[in-house]
Amino acid sequence: MPLTGARGSVVLFALVSVLLLAGAGAWLLGSPDLAVYPWAAATALGLVVSSVTTIGALRRRRPSVDVIAVLALAGSLAVGEALAGAVVAVMLASGQLLDARATARARRELGLLVARAPRTARRVQDGSVVEVPVDQVRRGDRVLVGTGEVVGVDGRLCGATTLDESALTGEPRPVERGVGEDVRSGVVVSGAPVELLATSLAGESTYAGVVRLVEQAQAGSAPLVRTADRFAVMFVPLTLLLAAAAWAWSGDPVRAVAVLVVATPCPLLLAAPIAVMSGLSRAARLGVVIKGGGALEQLAAGQVVLFDKTGTLTQGRPVVSDVVTAGPGTDPDETLRLAASLDQVSPHVMAGAIVSAATARGLALTLPTQVHEEHGYGLHGTVEGRAVRIGKAAWAHGAGAAPVWVLRARRRADLDGSLTVFVAVDGRPAAVLLLDDPVRADAPRMVRALREVGFERVVLLTGDRTETARSVGRLVGVDEVLAERDPAAKLAAVGAEGRDRVTVMVGDGVNDAPALAAADVGVALAARGATASSEAADVVLVVDRIDALADAVLVARRSRTIALQAAGVGMGLSLVAMVVAAAGLLAPAAGALVQEVVDVLAIAIALRALLPGRVHTVQLDQADRDTTARLRLQHDVVSGVVERLRSTADALTDATTDLAPARAVLAELEAVLLPHERAEEADLLPVLARAVGTTQATVGLSRTHAEVEHQVATLRRLLSRELPGPGDPHEAAVDGPHGRDLDAEDVVEVRGLLYGLYAVLRLHEAQEEEEVFSLVHPTRATP
């Protein structure tokens, strides 16, 4: 039944219901002749509405089964079955009303986002605050956002505050954000007013992209809905034949009217759209915008999924992975603190990574002065009276041959595929910051989840280097890696994969747009801002979680199944009722009531798609979330200790090497790392066991904790034992409280222990990020 709009549906339902009740009242009061008039009026009103919608469908050359409703209503008037006609009219009106309400509910989740779109921003300039249209904010502007206000542009915080991110993520709990952290437009400042440094234009921000997506995400006629419509049209000749046969066999036209009354295929026509719209609503609550019912059904049918790499399977933004210092006399944390303090005023993406790394380690930043940026080279300024330079090597460190430690850092960067940022303090080289684009912690779990829901093949399709792509592919578990592909080659790859299977392409960049458009379903990540890929895609993730895709597939498949169930049950019961009516066992009035019951049952089955179903999202109670968040903060601090293991091992070259740095690292391991590992064993692993429902999931992590304890104990014995003196192999010689320096063979063993411990801890960190900490990601949506 075509929709007449929310208001029209309410008015129609109210009128026919009042007329039906008025006739019933007259009949109960002993005036059956008077009751016929309101019933006949309701029938006539339903006949007019059905005739209008039927004529409209014919003009659009679309198949329609409203002709059955027209015949049923007209027949009811012709044979004097006004009560049956009135019940049919109420049935039609109630179907339209339920359909309109389901549509409104499905779109409400997204409509709320549009209504909250900020229009103005308060820009800080020349020591004062000026309110300007949000479109006038430029990158690098400082913007003041008050308590309760919506953030208008993407930016980087200049102070700490509390944010309500529920509008974008579904996360109901306020989130604490610190200096240097990135925030997305659309979140609400629920804590103290805060300034932020704009990193995007309003039109390119996250919230603007969401608004555009909402405008596109109107549920069109899905393939399942169109199939249902065509299938329902088959009922027209079947119904007419059965009605004619019943009339001819019995000679009673009332039987033909009864068949027409129960034959109206409302269950099929209403159930499919309602289930599809309900699925769109459920997906939206998970942070996934699906642009119409057709995209939802194609997503449910997906067999092959292709992923871009950068920003899709990886985080898409640099993260500081190590701080390589000039020597033992340079404190890596202090160097990072000075660099991050200077970078606070820069909107550059690498500056954000450096600031985030410093705040994650709990380092106190101060505002720099006399800051000047040399575009393409770097930034220099004064921090606490010290001259700090950040940028390219020759610009930061000066001309001349690079020191050995810089060459070593560059070699590491080349091997790891890292970016380098050089730091000089007071005119002297201080450190090299290594920045990586790490794999998303939730990516491997997402790939496993897609396989569980029925995807047969997973492909990594990227323009990046083969070695880097293969490394990422191994980590996330894809079937094939197609690297060094330009947009045209990506397009060809999607076409090849989609020759005989339904393809889903996932990407986030401009170069992904052609492939997204060519795939059966294009999925774009838009949590960090709108791109051309968002416009070309059929499905858009507005939460910064790639595993939301697996949940969206589950929602799509469940919605399609429910739509078919509702239609099957409804049409099956209608067929039975038609046969019973043709046999003369069901009067028109009773048949109308039976059809109404069938309609309500079919719609109720379809509305199940609005209820929460199975998703891969793991739910933790508040106590477990707090425990995980606390240990996650400690995890960031411990990462600095882990980085120093490798740099310390790099400095061990021969038997004359000073072992003081190695002993200092050992002290940090015992004072910082081991207590953290023991806290995880006692508090974090039980959280994981409760989340996944089995203690087997904790076995690997627990074994790693034991291995770390063993390796640290071995290092302690090696660095603190008394060794034989040179004069007498059986005589102990002690040089200071730690024993004398070790010989070359022992230095090699110390270096091996440090490298081994570094490798174990880096793997352990990755496992914890993937298996535990990603469960309470700040952008996780609540289903």
Side-chain angles (χ1 to χ4, degrees), residues 113-481:
L113 293 178
V114 178
R116 296 175 64 260
R119 301 287 185 269
T120 62
R122 289 187 288 173
R123 185 167 58 195
V124 180
Q125 57 185 49
D126 300 327
S128 61
V129 178
V130 180
E131 186 167 319
V132 298
V134 71
D135 292 337
Q136 293 185 12
V137 176
R138 296 292 178 261
R139 292 184 183 87
D141 286 352
R142 295 176 75 88
V143 178
L144 176 65
V145 186
T147 303
E149 294 180 353
V150 179
V151 176
V153 295
D154 295 349
R156 186 177 308 128
L157 289 175
C158 300
T161 191
T162 303
L163 300 176
D164 175 5
E165 301 181 347
S166 58
L168 292 181
T169 69
E171 172 59 60
R173 188 185 182 200
V175 179
E176 300 288 340
R177 298 294 187 191
V179 177
E181 291 198 61
D182 292 331
V183 295
R184 294 179 290 163
S185 58
V187 303
V188 178
V189 175
S190 56
V194 67
E195 289 186 16
L196 61 87
L197 188 73
T199 56
S200 74
L201 303 178
E204 301 172 355
S205 66
T206 301
Y207 211 76
V210 171
V211 171
R212 285 196 294 272
L213 294 173
V214 172
E215 293 171 350
Q216 299 175 32
Q218 303 298 321
S221 183
L224 177 60
V225 178
R226 294 193 296 269
T227 300
D229 204 31
R230 289 193 296 268
F231 180 67
V233 170
M234 296 171 56
F235 267 67
V236 173
L238 175 63
T239 300
L240 295 178
L241 287 174
L242 189 56
W247 189 353
W249 180 55
S250 65
D252 184 2
V254 174
R255 289 197 184 185
V257 173
V259 172
L260 293 173
V261 166
V262 298
T264 307
C266 287
L268 190 61
L269 296 180
L270 292 177
I274 288 175
V276 169
M277 292 296 295
S278 299
L280 297 179
S281 176
R282 287 299 309 160
R285 295 189 64 186
L286 292 169
V288 182
V289 177
I290 302 178
K291 298 179 183 178
L296 182 139
E297 292 190 45
Q298 287 287 76
L299 183 63
Q303 299 168 290
V304 179
V305 59
L306 303 97
F307 289 98
D308 178 44
K309 182 184 75 69
T310 305
T312 304
L313 294 180
T314 66
Q315 292 187 14
R317 53 187 175 188
V319 174
V320 175
S321 60
D322 203 353
V323 181
V324 181
T325 61
T330 304
D331 185 352
D333 281 350
E334 176 63 12
T335 304
L336 178 61
R337 187 184 73 85
L338 293 174
S341 295
L342 178 59
D343 262 336
Q344 286 181 100
V345 299
S346 173
H348 197 280
V349 63
M350 287 192 186
I354 294 169
V355 173
S356 297
T359 54
R361 297 188 186 188
L363 305 178
L365 307 185
T366 59
L367 286 177
T369 59
Q370 300 176 334
V371 179
H372 181 70
E373 184 170 2
E374 295 281 348
H375 292 289
Y377 293 94
L379 192 71
H380 67 84
T382 303
V383 179
E384 299 176 355
R386 307 186 70 179
V388 181
R389 297 173 72 90
I390 310 171
K392 293 184 176 179
W395 186 83
H397 293 165
V404 174
W405 65 274
V406 170
L407 297 176
R408 187 184 302 123
R410 282 177 166 171
R411 184 169 60 250
R412 277 187 55 184
D414 289 340
L415 291 174
D416 297 339
S418 303
L419 300 173
T420 55
V421 175
F422 296 84
V423 182
V425 179
D426 294 331
R428 293 189 298 274
V432 178
L433 308 181
L434 302 184
L435 296 92
D436 295 327
D437 181 16
V439 172
R440 288 176 179 266
D442 53 340
R445 184 170 61 250
M446 178 271 304
V447 170
R448 292 193 298 268
L450 288 177
R451 295 189 190 280
E452 290 173 5
V453 300
F455 277 84
E456 302 169 1
R457 180 169 162 80
V458 181
V459 178
L460 174 55
L461 179 61
T462 178
D464 208 344
R465 295 180 305 163
T466 300
E467 296 79 6
T468 304
R470 285 178 178 171
S471 176
V472 172
R474 284 191 295 268
L475 290 174
V476 300
V478 303
D479 295 309
E480 186 176 1
V481 175

Side-chain angles (χ1 to χ4, degrees), residues 526-584:
R528 299 174 190 164
T531 65
S533 62
S534 304
E535 307 297 328
D538 305 295
V539 179
V540 180
L541 273 60
V542 296
V543 291
D544 196 14
R545 295 193 62 85
I546 188 65
D547 63 351
L549 174 61
D551 289 341
V553 172
L554 280 176
V555 168
R557 296 194 171 184
R558 179 171 178 264
S559 300
R560 184 180 61 174
T561 300
I562 289 175
L564 294 174
Q565 289 173 350
V569 170
M571 294 310 299
L573 293 176
S574 292
L575 285 171
V576 172
M578 288 169 61
V579 174
V580 173

Side-chain angles (χ1 to χ4, degrees), residues 87 91 262 573-574 577 586 588-600:
V87 174
M91 174 187 69
V262 298
L573 293 176
S574 292
L586 195 62
L593 292 174
V594 168
Q595 184 62 39
E596 181 74 7
V597 172
V598 172
D599 287 350
V600 171

